[in-house]
Amino acid sequence: MSVKLLIVHGRPQGKSLLFPDGEYLFGRGAECHIRPNSEWVSWQHCLLRVGASGASVRDLGSRNGTLINGARVRDEQPLAHGDQLQVGPLVFSVSFDTSPSVADTSNHASADTGDLPALHRLDEPTADSPTPAPQPQSVPADD
């Protein structure tokens, strides 16, 4: 199973990120997989867990909280198809892909700039296919 997060509020609006099985840190720290460029996001903000049976999110003690459908996450909470996940100023729509094949994860992001290879830069429009997200990348968020 994999989870697709579509940015419905924030930049780049309309961009989707694909998360295969695994754990993914969201935050501004260099060790994070998804690094929104916003002071509203803590250094280690939240953790996304994706597994065969579904996905969940856990807030990591962030200053501004992590929200699912407008409610603050307490402990670890499961995600459902259609949920709205908010991390700082970014709002993602959650969907699941249960097909056995997972998108190519060979694209690597730079730890310094967070830019993806030219075809998958977060600040440029891309094709409809989601961007694999297991490597660190910056997300320019609206403050």
Side-chain angles (χ1 to χ4, degrees):
M1 172 181 291
S2 59
V3 172
K4 183 171 85 169
L5 298 182
L6 173 68
I7 301 173
V8 295
H9 180 74
R11 292 186 340 214
Q13 189 168 356
K15 178 71 175 177
S16 60
L17 303 171
L18 185 65
F19 298 87
D21 286 2
E23 294 185 347
Y24 305 94
L25 280 173
F26 285 60
R28 290 185 293 139
E31 71 283 2
C32 295
H33 299 96
I34 302 299
R35 296 191 314 248
N37 185 20
S38 171
E39 294 293 320
W40 292 16
V41 177
S42 297
W43 289 105
Q44 287 192 350
H45 197 95
C46 65
L47 177 70
L48 172 67
R49 283 195 175 118
V50 181
S53 61
S56 62
V57 69
R58 178 170 51 112
D59 187 76
L60 298 174
S62 65
R63 180 182 50 201
N64 293 310
T66 302
L67 294 94
I68 298 176
N69 300 324
R72 193 166 185 149
V73 171
R74 305 282 184 214
D75 300 315
E76 188 159 339
Q77 289 187 256
L79 290 170
H81 183 80
D83 278 349
Q84 298 279 301
L85 172 65
Q86 184 170 351
V87 178
L90 292 172
V91 179
F92 300 94
S93 177
V94 177
S95 62
F96 293 93
D97 179 5
T98 56
S99 64
S101 65
V102 176
D104 175 23
T105 59
S106 62
N107 292 322
H108 298 287
S110 163
D112 295 329
T113 65
D115 289 338
L116 294 173
L119 293 177
H120 297 287
R121 288 177 53 98
L122 290 174
D123 56 351
E124 294 178 355
T126 62
D128 291 338
S129 63
T131 299
Q135 298 296 319
Q137 52 186 292
S138 294
V139 179
D142 294 328
D143 280 334

